[in-house]
Amino acid sequence: MTPTVAAFPAARLRRTRSSPAIRNLVRENNLSVGDLIWPVFVRDGTGVEEPIASMPGVLRRSVDKIAAAALEAQALGIPAICLFPYTDPSLKTEDCAEAWNPDNLINRAIRAIKSAAPDIAVMTDVALDPYNINGHDGYVVNGEIVNDATVEALVKMTLAQAEAGADIIGPSDMMDGRIAAMRNALEQAGHSTVMILSYSAKYASGYYGPFRDAVGASGALTGDKKTYQMDPANSDEALRLVQRDLNEGADMVMIKPGIAYLDICHRVKTSFGVPTFAYQVSGEYAMIQAAALNGWINGEQVMLESLMAFKRAGCDGVLTYFAPEVARLLNT
Ligand code: PBG
């Protein structure tokens, strides 16, 4: 649709910007608490809340504190919380067996949230990196990330999370064929209502730096993730990945990172019309926080503006570390 504009002075476009009331009336997009998914970091211990230096304001929490945080998020109206583990280095192995241990940190956290705050949806991350001795999302054999053996491990991980009570499985590994394998396994195990939110278009990005500190994977990672995560130069490929994941049974799809990839969000939403999410990743969060803490930008304004940009681009929701702060602001 091409917008039509009358000639001046019939059209004075400033008229509809003249007051808060009128601006409210003509606003095209809205950000609401219902759009937020809150990513959180889990660690071992009890009563622990530990700051992460590269993500000011974000904490690693022990399972009891995660349950308390989920209860708080539920009270704020945040619909979903997404769990990431800081795994003890002694539990990282080449076979990544801790990933599907029914009593690992994530599965314990899922059960704790489900009993403390049953109305918030619990999303998980499926990839081997927090459990892998070399920091990769897949198995490394002779220096190569092997696809099919990794998918088998991811299926075991998925089933353990579903068994613990996860509502939404979030494969972030970028292996081929994983969505179909996970969907089949979930159906066969009787978990037909468990959803898959696929990290369909996940780019090999420098914006993940602070996250890798948060989960303790920075030191471990050998090489880069470019043989499985996408080339930032590509856009058509993102559509093929989304199409493929939908065909294999993904219920929802994600683009990651966020702000630098709004064109992809827009193309995905307009091409497929499916539930579309973006992940405002750790580096984006850190950049806003660092500038705000230096007094160089108005942090609150930039936070809200960046989140509105996702809505404008067509996203149905956003994974953001700002979720509780935004929810508090929007609720007042
Ligand atoms: C790992 C994973 C990553 C993130 C989510 N899941 C990092 C990576 O791929 O190296 C990044 C999230 C963020 O930066 O906030 N499978």
Side-chain angles (χ1 to χ4, degrees):
M1 183 191 70
T2 318
T4 49
V5 191
F8 178 84
R12 286 184 185 268
L13 294 179
R14 287 185 58 194
R15 282 187 206 115
T16 51
R17 282 179 232 140
S18 57
S19 71
I22 299 301
R23 289 196 293 274
N24 265 338
L25 206 56
V26 302
R27 185 160 299 127
E28 298 171 39
N29 294 286
N30 277 295
L31 175 68
S32 74
V33 179
D35 299 323
L36 306 170
I37 299 177
W38 184 26
V40 295
F41 298 104
V42 195
R43 53 152 297 155
D44 59 10
T46 335
V48 186
E49 290 185 322
E50 170 185 56
I52 299 160
S54 53
M55 299 180 74
V58 175
L59 304 167
R60 292 188 196 103
R61 296 172 166 87
S62 53
V63 170
D64 56 319
K65 290 287 183 183
I66 284 284
L71 190 60
E72 216 182 300
Q74 178 181 273
L76 286 166
I78 294 172
I81 193 165
C82 181
L83 304 172
F84 294 97
Y86 175 83
T87 308
D88 188 302
S90 70
L91 295 172
K92 297 186 185 195
T93 56
E94 222 154 285
D95 70 355
C96 309
E98 183 63 9
W100 53 89
N101 174 358
D103 287 316
N104 71 15
L105 266 182
I106 291 300
N107 295 326
R108 274 167 23 224
I110 296 170
R111 283 188 228 105
I113 295 173
K114 281 289 146 189
S115 76
D119 293 336
I120 196 163
V122 180
M123 174 171 167
T124 58
D125 186 75
V126 174
L128 299 180
D129 54 326
Y131 311 99
N132 209 342
I133 196 135
N134 49 58
H136 277 288
D137 294 18
Y139 285 135
V140 182
V141 178
N142 299 327
E144 300 228 339
I145 317 296
V146 297
N147 195 90
D148 301 8
T150 299
V151 171
E152 282 176 35
L154 299 174
V155 165
K156 288 192 261 182
M157 196 175 168
T158 301
L159 289 176
Q161 293 173 350
E163 211 53 56
D167 301 288
I168 305 170
I169 305 292
S172 70
D173 54 284
M174 290 294 280
M175 296 299 121
D176 288 318
R178 87 258 213 229
I179 303 298
M182 292 163 70
R183 187 70 265 163
N184 286 339
L186 286 169
E187 294 294 322
Q188 275 170 25
H191 296 297
S192 58
T193 57
V194 173
M195 287 157 274
I196 299 177
L197 198 182
S198 179
Y199 288 64
S200 297
K202 177 173 178 181
Y203 287 85
S205 172
Y207 289 96
Y208 307 148
F211 173 95
R212 292 178 191 167
D213 293 341
V215 298
S218 311
L221 184 64
T222 48
D224 58 46
K225 300 192 176 185
K226 291 179 183 169
T227 68
Y228 47 108
Q229 299 180 347
M230 277 183 72
D231 181 342
N234 294 353
S235 158
D236 288 341
E237 188 188 359
L239 298 193
R240 296 177 70 205
L241 286 163
V242 167
Q243 172 95 73
R244 190 269 314 264
D245 286 0
L246 291 170
N247 288 343
E248 290 187 17
D251 301 282
M252 306 176 265
V253 296
M254 192 203 295
I255 292 94
K256 176 182 176 196
I259 285 288
Y261 296 86
L262 290 181
D263 56 323
I264 309 299
C265 297
H266 188 254
R267 283 191 78 186
V268 165
K269 187 62 180 182
T270 51
S271 304
F272 300 105
V274 297
T276 302
F277 293 81
Y279 197 144
Q280 182 181 52
V281 300
S282 56
E284 302 177 60
Y285 173 87
M287 284 160 59
I288 295 174
Q289 289 294 72
L293 289 169
N294 274 295
W296 296 336
I297 58 171
N298 177 329
E300 195 174 293
Q301 189 183 355
V302 173
M303 168 182 81
L304 291 171
E305 187 178 333
S306 66
L307 292 170
M308 184 62 85
F310 293 109
K311 296 303 302 285
R312 201 184 59 239
C315 291
D316 297 287
V318 190
L319 286 92
T320 176
Y321 300 100
F322 288 120
E325 204 181 329
V326 183
R328 260 177 234 115
L329 266 178
L330 294 176
N331 285 338
T332 52

